[in-house]
């Protein structure tokens, strides 16, 4: 039997898990399942077969979101559990960082380190309830990087760490939504797009954290621009209890890519709503309906190149959907911009030449769905 590279097989496995969702709300118990697949040499046999598997988890809503292989062959997993984990296999006790927030909007983000053969849990770290939701992981000689979305509960963990943006960047927006003054602050008079939409007021800012190899220390971390109002896992169950399609944090992860220099490429979501600018007002003039659509449907995603310690940014690139035929778009609804509605960048990959590829689609504002603008962007990591 000829064994293939663990990292590539693990990536296939956990990409599939992330797309399908490992746990369902209706399940009495949800478990995290790990499996190591190997390829067999004889052509007549199935190309992949299950060699070993392990289980652990909680009785709440658990999921796996990403996997990455470290230079030493160990494998890191990230995901989220709905309750504090007890003792893990091999007697490993999870380390905990940060206190539970007062009103958690998500469970507990975790990162675990496994032996190269997947037979042992070497270490595991989880954050307090409501601090963050992890969506991706990468590892190199500088440490273990995890990406996701975080509440203001992450701030205390960043106070003495290298950080580009150590303060929660959505404090003003969260306060305005809480006070019901978002429209007033934007100078709008139309219906508040946040009101009556469960989940849209639960803001999570994109974040990146770095742990040491054995997950015993948080060594760096930062928030990034953008927001994901539907990052909480209860949104689908709240507004569409009979439709258990993949939740939106599966679609728009905070994606990570390692560059040869040690820098980190990060794709971060622009969200569903933003504060209006002077440029918006100049574009729309007295058309308040258009202003409202710009605030809700013109939210660019971003890609940033960060230093290994997450304290500096080399560049940042806004990501929009490609230009459409404006004349055709106006037949559906008045829209003055070449890109049509907000992007949903749901995957980022780097090739061996360090080109950055982004794929996704636009979120329509036409109310005449389907209007999808799928896209694939190629970026040069150097600039």
């Amino acid at each position: 039997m000829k064994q293939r590279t663990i990292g590539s097989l693990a990536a296939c496995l956990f990409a599939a898990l992330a797309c399908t969702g490992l746990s369902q709300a209706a399940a009495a118990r949800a478990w995290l399942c790990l499996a190591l697949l190997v390829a067999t040499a004889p052509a007549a046999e199935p190309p992949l077969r299950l060699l070993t598997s392990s289980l652990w988890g909680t009785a709440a809503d658990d999921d796996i979101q990403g996997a990455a292989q470290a230079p030493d062959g160990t494998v890191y997993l990230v995901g989220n559990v709905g309750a504090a984990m007890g003792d893990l296999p091999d007697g490993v006790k999870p380390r905990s960082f940060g206190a539970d927030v007062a009103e958690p909007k998500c469970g507990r983000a975790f990162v675990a380190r496994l032996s190269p053969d997947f037979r042992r849990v070497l270490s595991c770290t989880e954050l307090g309830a409501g601090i963050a939701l992890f969506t991706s992981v990468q590892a190199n000689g500088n440490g273990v990087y995890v990406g996701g979305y975080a509440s203001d509960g992450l701030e205390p963990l960043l106070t003495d760490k290298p950080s580009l943006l150590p303060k929660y960047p959505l404090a003003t927006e969260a306060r305005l939504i809480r006070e019901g003054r978002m429209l007033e602050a934007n100078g709008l008079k139309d219906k508040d797009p946040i009101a009556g939409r469960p989940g849209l007021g639960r803001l999570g800012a994109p974040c990146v954290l770095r742990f040491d190899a054995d997950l015993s220390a948080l060594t760096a971390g930062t928030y990034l621009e953008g927001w994901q109002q539907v990052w909480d896992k209860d949104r689908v169950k709240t507004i569409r209890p009979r439709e258990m399609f993949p939740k939106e944090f599966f679609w728009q992860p905070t994606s990570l890519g390692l560059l040869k220099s040690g820098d980190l490429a990060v794709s971060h979501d622009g969200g569903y709503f933003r504060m209006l600018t002077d440029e918006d007002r100049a574009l729309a003039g007295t058309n308040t309906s258009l202003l409202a659509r710009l605030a809700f449907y013109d939210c660019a995603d971003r890609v940033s190149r960060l230093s290994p310690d997450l304290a500096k940014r080399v560049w940042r690139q806004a990501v929009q959907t490609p230009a459409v035929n404006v004349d055709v778009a106006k037949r559906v609804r008045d829209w003055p911009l070449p890109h049509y509605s907000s992007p949903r960048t749901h995957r980022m990959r780097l090739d061996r030449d360090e080109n950055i590829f982004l794929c996704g689609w636009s979120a329509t504002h036409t109310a005449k769905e389907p209007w999808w603008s799928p896209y694939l962007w190629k970026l040069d990591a150097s600039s």
Side-chain angles (χ1 to χ4, degrees), residues 302-380:
R302 300 173 180 89
V303 179
S304 292
R305 178 171 177 167
L306 304 180
S307 61
D309 64 356
L310 307 179
K312 298 178 182 178
R313 178 158 36 202
V314 180
W315 51 256
R316 184 184 72 183
Q317 173 66 49
V319 177
Q320 294 283 11
T321 56
V324 299
N325 186 316
V326 177
D327 292 334
V328 174
K330 283 184 176 180
R331 296 175 196 169
V332 183
R333 182 170 289 181
D334 182 31
W335 186 253
L337 301 173
H339 56 267
Y340 203 67
S341 199
S342 301
R344 291 182 175 181
T345 304
H346 60 277
R347 291 295 181 271
M348 180 183 75
R349 294 292 185 269
L350 278 62
D351 67 11
R352 66 182 62 189
D353 297 321
E354 300 197 331
N355 295 301
I356 299 172
F357 294 88
L358 307 168
C359 67
W361 60 76
S362 70
T364 176
H365 79 276
T366 64
K368 297 182 180 181
E369 299 190 34
W371 178 293
W372 304 118
S373 298
Y375 59 88
L376 174 64
W377 285 118
K378 178 181 177 182
L379 282 68
D380 182 348

Side-chain angles (χ1 to χ4, degrees), residues 5-346:
T5 304
I6 292 175
S8 61
L9 294 174
C12 294
L13 169 67
F14 294 109
L17 290 175
C19 289
T20 60
L22 186 60
S23 62
Q24 297 292 334
R29 295 181 65 85
W31 299 91
L32 301 180
C33 180
L34 317 177
L36 175 63
L37 301 177
V38 297
T40 56
E45 295 184 19
L48 300 174
R49 70 180 180 86
L50 181 66
L51 179 64
T52 186
S53 65
S54 303
L55 297 171
W56 91 75
T58 76
D61 192 5
D62 302 344
D63 59 70
I64 290 175
Q65 290 297 319
Q69 187 178 37
D72 65 358
T74 55
V75 177
Y76 292 93
L77 302 179
V78 293
N80 310 279
V81 291
M85 287 190 281
D87 291 349
L88 299 176
D90 305 312
V92 172
K93 296 183 181 298
R95 298 182 180 92
S96 182
F97 288 85
D100 295 355
V101 304
E103 297 180 2
K105 300 296 190 291
C106 63
R108 297 168 180 268
F110 79 88
V111 53
R113 185 187 187 203
L114 308 180
S115 61
D117 62 3
F118 279 56
R119 295 181 182 274
R120 291 181 297 133
V121 179
L122 304 178
S123 56
C124 183
T125 287
E126 62 182 4
L127 303 187
I131 292 179
L133 184 153
F134 287 163
T135 64
S136 51
V137 61
Q138 293 287 346
N140 63 11
N142 294 320
V144 183
Y145 295 92
V146 297
Y149 299 101
S151 69
D152 56 1
L154 180 63
E155 257 193 49
L157 295 177
L158 303 182
T159 52
D160 59 346
K161 304 294 189 299
S163 181
L164 176 70
L165 298 175
K167 299 294 184 181
Y168 182 58
L170 300 175
T172 297
E173 289 86 347
R175 177 180 57 80
L176 290 171
I177 289 175
R178 188 169 59 250
E179 297 172 353
R181 296 178 54 242
M182 177 60 85
L183 281 184
E184 175 188 341
N186 254 345
L188 298 175
K189 298 179 181 179
D190 290 353
K191 179 182 177 182
D192 188 338
I194 302 298
R197 294 171 180 257
L200 290 189
R202 304 178 179 185
L203 278 63
C207 67
V208 184
L209 305 178
R210 186 184 70 183
F211 293 90
D212 62 0
D214 66 0
L215 307 178
S216 63
L218 175 62
T219 60
T222 186
Y223 290 102
L224 290 171
E225 301 87 352
W227 64 9
Q228 174 58 286
Q229 288 101 313
V230 291
W231 70 309
D232 62 287
K233 296 174 66 174
D234 289 332
R235 179 174 185 260
V236 172
K237 291 183 287 184
T238 302
I239 65 174
R240 294 187 176 95
R242 290 173 294 180
E243 298 179 28
M244 292 307 297
F245 55 82
K247 304 171 182 68
E248 285 200 45
F249 62 81
F250 291 156
W251 300 354
Q252 294 199 253
T254 300
S255 298
L256 307 177
L258 292 172
L259 300 171
K260 297 172 185 176
S261 66
D263 287 354
L264 197 67
V266 185
S267 172
H268 41 119
D269 179 28
Y272 280 75
F273 195 79
R274 64 176 176 82
M275 303 301 288
L276 291 170
T277 64
D278 291 340
E279 290 78 8
D280 295 325
R281 301 183 194 284
L283 179 65
T286 59
N287 188 340
T288 58
S289 178
L290 177 54
L291 274 175
R293 291 201 298 276
L294 289 171
F296 197 68
Y297 292 108
D298 185 35
C299 305
D301 290 347
R302 300 173 180 89
V303 179
S304 292
R305 178 171 177 167
L306 304 180
S307 61
D309 64 356
L310 307 179
K312 298 178 182 178
R313 178 158 36 202
V314 180
W315 51 256
R316 184 184 72 183
Q317 173 66 49
V319 177
Q320 294 283 11
T321 56
V324 299
N325 186 316
V326 177
D327 292 334
V328 174
K330 283 184 176 180
R331 296 175 196 169
V332 183
R333 182 170 289 181
D334 182 31
W335 186 253
L337 301 173
H339 56 267
Y340 203 67
S341 199
S342 301
R344 291 182 175 181
T345 304
H346 60 277

